[in-house]
């Protein structure tokens, strides 16, 4: 009887100890070894390019059971600077930024603030004036995008009066226009008739092109910094019923412009970026940095020109 009694007591105590250990593990240890907080702020979410890019970030963060905070400054530099500082104060571990204005002092100061807090920083689709602050910068080959558009234009038309649609505060846009201008430089058959800053927005590009037309400035080519501004230019051209063909070039390879390339003759070509690749590389870089692995200071993603002749090789319903 004593042996049986002591056996029961032994197993009761052992069971209590095991249960206590299990409870302690769940009570005091996290379910995940480390749950990271990632912040992301893009110059605007009123552009499907950034939506597509961010979807890749969301996918990877979800797979890792981590937390993502996505912010939209709506092209407001001051707002983006505040967003960065607030994300830092909320305890993020990594930060993905597409700067509204790479030269803006408030944004650069906010990035420095994040850097001092040892947060891993990845810049996407543009650059910062203080390029030593980010751990890595991921860019399309923006200069080459402009070169590709210029070369195609020179094949299509023997001479051109060109309207440039720009976004002068975004390094990526500046590089595209610079690539275009450098390619035609010195060739008297091609000259810039006018230029307008539309911030890469459809709703701003349309009235800007309208203004140029009203001034009586003649042009037969539009080089747009991106596809949204190219779409705004097209809307303006349709409203004015010009009697000559205008060759419109964009940069992005967006579903909307690819659809126009396939179904109409409104657009001449678009230099295609890959927001899917950029998003994947951005979040992969964050996780590598958090794991103390080396990441290149700059990652360049190639671009390719899409014309009507090759549009059947692309999925027009989505991004590449």
């Amino acid at each position: 009887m004593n042996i049986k009694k002591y056996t029961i007591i032994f197993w009761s105590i052992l069971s209590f100890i095991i249960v206590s250990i299990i409870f302690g593990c769940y009570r005091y240890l996290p379910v995940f070894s480390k749950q990271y907080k990632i912040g992301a702020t893009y110059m605007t979410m009123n552009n499907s390019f950034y939506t597509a890019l961010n979807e890749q970030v969301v996918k990877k963060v979800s797979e890792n059971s981590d937390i993502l905070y996505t912010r939209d400054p709506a092209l407001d530099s001051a707002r983006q600077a505040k967003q960065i500082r607030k994300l830092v104060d909320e305890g993020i571990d990594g930060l993905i930024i597409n700067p509204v204005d790479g030269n803006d002092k408030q944004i650069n100061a906010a990035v420095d603030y994040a850097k001092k807090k040892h947060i891993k920083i990845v810049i996407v689709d543009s650059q910062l004036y203080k390029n030593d602050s980010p751990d890595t910068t991921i860019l399309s080959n923006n200069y080459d995008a402009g070169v590709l558009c210029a070369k195609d234009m020179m094949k299509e038309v023997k001479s051109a009066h060109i309207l440039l649609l720009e976004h002068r505060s975004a390094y990526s846009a500046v590089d595209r226009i610079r690539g275009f201008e450098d390619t035609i430089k010195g060739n008297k058959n091609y000259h810039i008739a006018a230029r307008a800053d539309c911030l890469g927005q459809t709703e701003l590009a349309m009235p800007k092109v309208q203004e140029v037309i009203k001034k009586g400035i003649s042009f037969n080519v539009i080089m747009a910094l991106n596809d949204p501004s190219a779409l705004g230019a097209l809307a303006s051209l349709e409203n004015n019923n010009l009697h000559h063909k205008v060759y419109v070039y964009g940069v992005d390879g967006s579903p909307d412009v690819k659809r126009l390339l396939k179904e109409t003759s409104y657009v001449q070509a678009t230099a295609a970026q890959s927001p899917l690749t950029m998003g994947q590389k951005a979040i992969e870089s964050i996780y590598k940095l958090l794991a103390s692995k080396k990441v290149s200071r700059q990652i360049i993603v190639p671009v390719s020109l899409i014309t009507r002749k090759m549009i059947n090789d692309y999925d027009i319903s989505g991004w590449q």
Side-chain angles (χ1 to χ4, degrees):
M1 288 294 293
N2 286 339
I3 295 176
K4 184 176 181 181
K5 179 180 179 182
Y6 288 132
T7 300
I8 293 172
I9 293 173
F10 170 78
W11 284 110
S12 297
I13 294 173
L14 182 61
S15 299
F16 175 78
I17 293 172
I18 293 172
V19 170
S20 298
I21 291 172
I22 293 173
F23 175 79
C25 288
Y26 277 95
R27 175 66 178 82
Y28 298 106
L29 295 178
V31 175
F32 307 105
S33 57
K34 169 67 177 177
Q35 188 175 47
Y36 289 114
K37 294 181 179 179
I38 312 296
T41 171
Y42 308 94
M43 66 170 67
T44 175
M45 296 305 284
N46 184 29
N47 185 332
S48 62
F49 179 90
Y50 297 117
T51 303
L53 192 158
N54 192 57
E55 284 174 354
Q56 299 304 305
V57 177
V58 171
K59 181 180 178 182
K60 188 65 176 179
V61 171
S62 297
E63 287 175 357
N64 291 345
S65 299
D66 291 326
I67 301 170
L68 176 67
Y69 304 100
T70 302
R71 300 291 181 262
D72 178 8
L75 295 172
D76 187 323
S77 295
R79 183 183 298 174
Q80 187 170 54
K82 290 178 182 178
Q83 288 175 349
I84 293 169
R85 289 180 179 274
K86 188 171 182 180
L87 286 168
V88 172
D89 292 340
E90 287 177 354
I92 59 170
D93 302 287
L95 179 61
I96 298 171
I97 309 170
N98 168 243
V100 172
D101 182 348
N103 288 312
D104 186 81
K105 292 181 179 179
Q106 294 180 83
I107 291 176
N108 280 274
V111 173
D112 284 343
Y113 177 66
K115 190 73 174 178
K116 289 176 183 177
K117 296 291 186 178
H118 307 292
I119 292 166
K120 305 305 179 184
I121 303 169
V122 172
I123 304 296
V124 292
D125 194 44
S126 193
Q127 294 159 277
L128 287 177
Y129 171 73
K130 296 185 70 174
N131 208 33
D132 57 334
S133 295
D135 293 284
T136 188
T137 299
I138 300 171
L139 299 164
S140 294
N141 193 332
N142 290 299
Y143 185 87
D144 193 41
V147 171
L148 290 173
C149 289
K151 286 183 175 179
D152 185 80
M153 176 198 70
M154 295 168 80
K155 290 179 182 178
E156 294 293 327
V157 292
K158 294 181 179 179
S159 63
H161 301 285
I162 304 159
L163 167 58
L164 298 178
L165 295 180
E166 305 174 291
H167 185 179
R168 298 179 194 124
S169 63
Y171 279 105
S172 56
V174 170
D175 284 345
R176 294 168 196 171
I177 298 300
R178 184 166 58 86
F180 185 92
E181 290 190 275
D182 285 353
T183 305
I184 65 172
K185 189 175 181 180
N187 192 319
K188 295 180 180 179
N189 293 323
Y190 306 94
H191 80 277
I192 308 304
R195 57 206 313 153
D197 194 322
C198 62
L199 302 179
Q201 301 298 295
T202 300
E203 63 273 18
L204 297 180
M206 184 176 174
K208 290 287 185 178
V209 174
Q210 181 70 29
E211 288 176 15
V212 173
I213 294 172
K214 281 187 175 181
K215 288 178 181 178
I217 299 173
S218 178
F219 59 87
N220 61 333
V221 170
I222 295 177
M223 172 60 198
L225 71 118
N226 65 3
D227 283 356
S229 55
L231 291 172
L234 286 169
S236 184
L237 294 176
E238 289 178 7
N239 287 341
N240 284 275
N241 295 316
L242 298 184
H243 298 295
H244 63 277
K245 179 175 175 59
V246 177
Y247 293 78
V248 178
Y249 289 85
V251 177
D252 277 340
S254 66
D256 287 338
V257 168
K258 285 188 292 188
R259 194 173 297 110
L260 288 175
L261 279 169
K262 186 176 180 66
E263 300 172 357
T264 74
S265 59
Y266 299 150
V267 183
Q268 180 60 32
T270 179
Q273 302 188 85
S274 177
L276 306 187
T277 300
M278 293 182 74
Q280 291 163 5
K281 288 185 178 295
I283 192 59
E284 285 172 4
S285 295
I286 285 288
Y287 280 120
K288 284 181 180 178
L289 290 164
L290 290 172
S292 299
K293 295 180 180 178
K294 288 185 178 180
V295 175
S296 299
R297 292 286 294 173
Q298 190 175 77
I299 299 171
I300 304 296
V301 180
V303 296
S304 59
L305 194 71
I306 303 178
T307 66
R308 281 192 297 278
K309 294 178 182 178
M310 60 184 69
I311 189 61
N312 289 330
D313 296 332
Y314 290 84
D315 172 17
I316 66 171
S317 65
W319 288 88
Q320 50 285 328

